[in-house]
Amino acid sequence: GRPMTEPLDPLAADEVLRRAAEISAQDRPLPTHGGYDRHALADAASEVGIERRAVELALAEHDAGILVHADSRVGLLGPSRVLETRVVPHPVAETSGHVTHWLRGQLLHRDERRGSAEVWRPRDDLGAKLRRKVDARTARRVRLGDVDAVEVSVVDCGEDRSLVRLEVVFDDMRRGLRTGVVVVPVAVAPVLGVAAAALTGEILLAVGSVPLGGALGAVGTVAGRRTLADQRERARRALCSFLDGLEDA
């Protein structure tokens, strides 16, 4: 990570403020020149409604080298990723253990490493498929739902603290919805008039050969947006619940 007293150059300050605004879901100022003291940056951000805690978290991401530019190309169906970060009061080894245990409980396995991040993907063995089917009808311990992958970084913040970055990926789902392999809620399928088969008790799969707009029209587009939005919200709730518990542990 970078020294936590290091001044920020204009581009870094802009990225920190962009991320802080994203965290606090409000606008950000747009600095254009000079260097930025960290306290002054937080003060300036607070004047335009960006929470100080959001600036501090964005600075932690910057210091850890994991602050990345968000993909603004949301397209017709909306974003295909859900990102949550949190500074937790545990050393890296302990935090990584908690994260690994939780991801395995979500029926994911460690698939590959990309730089400082690990990529976890859903298990596709028979045991995992059966557990998902049972879980869909009972306690829903698999809170993440149907995801393509989860990208994970756990970074030392000093003072026995860790920064956890969890990004849930639905790129394949959005691509399928857009190109005609369409995942739709059961309640919507009869409206679309498509042939479908039950997979998990709560989702149906319809296969088309042309893009979503051409195959299903406005109703199909709305169904696709709703499906992806529901999956994002489910993932966000799962991530926040896990990180809340980790922060308070």
Side-chain angles (χ1 to χ4, degrees):
R2 297 173 174 81
M4 295 187 185
T5 57
E6 171 190 283
L8 302 174
D9 63 45
L11 288 178
D14 187 60
E15 279 295 282
V16 166
L17 286 172
R18 177 199 59 77
R19 176 63 180 137
E22 187 177 86
I23 293 166
S24 63
Q26 298 187 41
D27 292 331
R28 62 174 173 82
L30 296 170
T32 56
H33 63 279
Y36 293 84
D37 174 80
R38 290 160 180 265
H39 295 296
L41 194 70
D43 291 341
S46 66
E47 291 177 5
V48 294
I50 299 176
E51 300 172 0
R52 181 174 292 272
R53 181 176 178 276
V55 176
E56 291 171 351
L57 181 54
L59 283 168
E61 292 181 21
H62 166 77
D63 292 333
I66 62 172
L67 191 155
V68 295
H69 188 68
D71 185 0
S72 60
R73 297 170 298 173
V74 298
L76 184 66
L77 300 179
S80 64
R81 296 189 170 222
V82 175
L83 172 64
E84 291 291 336
T85 57
R86 196 77 59 86
V87 175
V88 299
H90 311 291
V92 165
E94 181 181 342
T95 301
S96 295
H98 286 302
V99 172
T100 295
H101 178 76
W102 183 71
L103 290 171
R104 285 176 176 162
Q106 301 302 301
L107 305 180
L108 304 175
H109 69 99
R110 189 186 288 107
D111 184 60
E112 62 178 308
R113 176 173 284 278
R114 294 179 185 168
S116 62
E118 293 179 346
V119 180
W120 290 65
R121 300 189 190 279
R123 288 167 44 194
D124 59 1
D125 56 278
L126 178 60
K129 291 177 181 177
L130 289 173
R131 280 188 59 190
R132 288 191 188 97
K133 187 172 288 292
V134 170
D135 187 82
R137 292 168 168 78
T138 56
R140 282 203 171 190
R141 291 187 180 87
V142 185
R143 297 178 182 276
L144 277 177
D146 299 296
V147 305
D148 299 332
V150 180
E151 297 179 4
V152 182
S153 297
V154 181
V155 184
D156 185 13
C157 284
E159 300 178 348
D160 284 337
R161 299 178 307 151
S162 304
L163 174 65
V164 182
R165 181 184 191 275
L166 299 172
E167 186 168 21
V168 178
V169 180
F170 296 106
D171 291 348
D172 291 344
M173 178 182 289
R174 185 174 69 174
R175 190 177 303 113
L177 286 161
R178 190 175 63 243
T179 59
V181 181
V182 185
V183 182
V184 297
V186 171
V188 177
V191 178
L192 301 179
V194 294
L199 293 181
T200 65
E202 55 177 0
I203 291 179
L204 297 178
L205 179 66
V207 180
S209 59
V210 296
L212 178 65
L216 303 176
V219 175
T221 300
V222 170
R225 286 184 62 88
R226 174 176 141 186
T227 297
L228 198 55
D230 287 347
Q231 293 299 314
R232 287 197 309 268
E233 181 56 28
R234 178 175 177 177
R236 188 176 301 282
R237 287 197 304 266
L239 294 182
C240 289
S241 176
F242 168 67
L243 290 172
D244 286 348
L246 191 57
E247 194 173 21
D248 295 337

